[in-house]
Amino acid sequence: MRTFTTGLLAPLPILFVLASCGEDGPSTTAPKDSAVKVTAAVETVPVQNADDAADDPAIWVDPVNPANSVIIGTNKQKGLGIYALDGSELSFHDDGRMNNVDIRQGVTLGAITVDVVAATNRSDQTIALYGFDSAARTLTPLTSPIETGFSDPYGLCLYQNPDTDKLYIFASEADTGVVGQWSLTSSAGINFSTERVRTLTLGTQVEGCVADDSQGVVFIAEEDVGLYAYWADPNVPEDRLNARLVIDTVATGHLTADAEGVTLVDEGNGAGYIIVSSQGSNSYNVYDRNGPYAFRGAFVIGDGANIDGVEETDGIDVTAANLGPRFPGGVFVAQDGFNFDGKDGKKANQNFKLVAWPEIRAALNLPEVAPESVAAEPPSKPQSE
Ligand code: CA
Ligand code: CA
Ligand code: CA
Ligand code: CA
Ligand code: CA
Ligand code: CA
């Protein structure tokens, strides 16, 4: 069941924005700020489809054997790939044109506890829902896909309220800047119900987003415009439902359009950072996780000895969790818009690059403990403009 608020889906002006990526080569626009350079330690095998295909990753952390953690990556022409931390592909789910993917682990839904994986499927305009099978390291459909009512579902991120344990899905519609929020509930463990509980109308195309569950905030990027913080829970007082804080902008800030993938590195005790793909400058911006979301610097993933650098990134994900000997301090994952392979650097299909999170931390000289975690002040929250 879904609610469909036609008033908020009234026709909006459609902006015809030419994609900055092309077949010729990546953007050569320099980042607005001096960016530090890191290199990838691992790259995944290329996706099966040529041209723009790889898009957005999600990291599943194996709580028992961290080295068995995986990257779930979308191939937006075909489905979902599961990659081991050495970059090999464990399996592929040929389920449709999956655009964005996110995960929450250990979610209690009625009688079951499950690692929930959600992805926007542009083939049938739905949100696909899976449980991650930790033994087989594969995806199992959880329930029938959610009908979005969108002409083209696009961005996606999950939010779990830590007080109620309720799981919500944010998904955007391509072009229109409309973002829907669905709640996912189950009373018996098998009969899931999904309901659209909220709609945000940003105006132009939205894709990247990430929720900070413990702070109750969702960070949303409007590709040509900037990055915002909104309240994440649909049950906040009415005057907060559309309230937002502008964190950064394309026009006068540190971002170069498109503002693409958004992710959160949780370093515990409320500390951490928000990272955004500044696609037009082949770089990533880092901000404090907590208000006033200070800009901490930018980094690029440059050419390494054996692995090419990263350009025109769409989706990103990160974890500071121990992932075993290869990534004991966690990993940052970025889609690479232009993958070159082999000694002769031949152009190959797109893939995902894996960078050790501590290398990024060190390159940016981030404080050992994010300062906000020891500050007495509560974090600032989304405000009306
Ligand atoms: Ca792309
Ligand atoms: Ca993702
Ligand atoms: Ca996009
Ligand atoms: Ca590359
Ligand atoms: Ca994308
Ligand atoms: Ca490569």
Side-chain angles (χ1 to χ4, degrees):
M1 186 178 70
R2 65 187 158 78
T3 46
F4 198 84
T5 315
T6 48
L8 290 167
L9 286 173
L12 291 162
I14 293 169
L15 295 185
F16 293 94
V17 179
L18 288 172
S20 58
C21 55
E23 284 314 284
D24 310 321
S27 160
T28 51
T29 306
K32 289 176 175 173
D33 307 271
S34 65
V36 296
K37 182 191 143 180
V38 298
T39 56
V42 170
E43 63 180 333
T44 63
V45 295
V47 296
Q48 296 167 49
N49 296 76
D51 305 324
D52 207 19
D55 198 88
D56 182 50
I59 303 166
W60 175 77
V61 178
D62 189 331
V64 179
N65 185 352
N68 277 346
S69 301
V70 304
I71 312 302
I72 303 164
T74 64
N75 174 341
K76 62 187 171 190
Q77 298 186 34
K78 201 169 169 63
L80 289 161
I82 314 285
Y83 303 96
L85 294 179
D86 65 359
S88 60
E89 188 175 271
L90 298 167
S91 64
F92 188 83
H93 298 265
D94 200 347
D95 291 350
R97 297 192 296 122
M98 303 295 179
N99 196 59
N100 277 187
V101 61
D102 200 7
I103 185 167
R104 282 294 181 280
Q105 297 189 218
V107 178
T108 300
L109 288 167
I112 62 166
T113 298
V114 63
D115 295 347
V116 176
V117 174
T120 34
N121 187 347
R122 302 173 81 171
S123 292
D124 59 6
Q125 295 80 50
T126 64
I127 297 164
L129 287 167
Y130 302 90
F132 190 83
D133 180 334
S134 58
R137 292 196 289 173
T138 188
L139 298 169
T140 311
L142 194 59
T143 181
S144 46
I146 302 171
E147 302 285 341
T148 59
F150 286 165
S151 62
D152 191 12
Y154 194 57
L156 177 140
C157 59
L158 295 176
Y159 161 65
Q160 187 176 25
N161 182 316
D163 298 324
T164 63
D165 283 341
K166 256 194 135 172
L167 188 70
Y168 297 92
I169 304 158
F170 286 95
S172 70
E173 182 176 50
D175 298 327
T176 63
V178 171
V179 177
Q181 181 174 10
W182 286 261
S183 68
L184 180 61
T185 49
S186 169
S187 50
I190 46 169
N191 298 313
F192 293 92
S193 81
T194 52
E195 185 185 4
R196 184 152 152 193
V197 293
R198 183 185 180 190
T199 300
L200 298 168
T201 308
L202 281 82
T204 67
Q205 182 156 286
V206 167
E207 184 172 11
C209 62
V210 70
D212 184 339
D213 293 354
S214 65
Q215 305 279 14
V217 171
V218 61
F219 300 90
I220 299 178
E222 188 175 6
E223 295 185 355
D224 291 334
V225 184
L227 177 70
Y228 312 101
Y230 284 85
W231 292 92
D233 203 275
N235 297 311
V236 293
E238 204 173 336
D239 61 350
R240 292 184 173 182
L241 282 174
N242 292 297
R244 68 186 187 184
L245 186 72
V246 179
I247 296 176
D248 205 350
T249 64
V250 169
T252 58
H254 305 277
L255 291 161
T256 302
D258 298 356
E260 275 283 338
V262 184
T263 190
L264 161 76
V265 55
D266 183 346
E267 297 196 321
N269 300 318
Y273 300 93
I274 302 296
I275 307 176
V276 181
S277 168
S278 182
Q279 189 181 58
S281 53
N282 307 314
S283 57
Y284 312 89
N285 286 357
V286 179
Y287 308 84
D288 284 342
R289 172 184 182 178
N290 297 309
Y293 309 108
F295 175 69
R296 289 284 170 183
F299 66 95
V300 297
I301 304 173
D303 286 332
N306 302 305
I307 300 175
D308 59 306
V310 183
E311 301 81 25
E312 289 191 7
T313 293
D314 286 304
I316 55 178
D317 199 7
V318 66
T319 180
N322 166 26
L323 299 188
R326 216 180 266 276
F327 296 106
V331 70
F332 173 77
V333 183
Q335 179 260 1
D336 185 7
F338 293 87
N339 175 37
F340 300 94
D341 276 354
K343 279 203 177 79
D344 51 351
K346 256 199 172 151
K347 188 164 180 223
N349 289 348
Q350 295 178 339
N351 66 356
F352 296 93
K353 303 294 202 270
L354 284 66
V355 182
W357 167 242
E359 185 181 337
I360 297 168
R361 253 192 150 282
L364 283 167
N365 210 9
L366 296 174
E368 231 170 83
V369 178
E372 283 67 25
S373 66
V374 294
E377 301 161 58
S380 75
K381 296 290 186 184
Q383 296 153 3
S384 297
E385 283 160 50

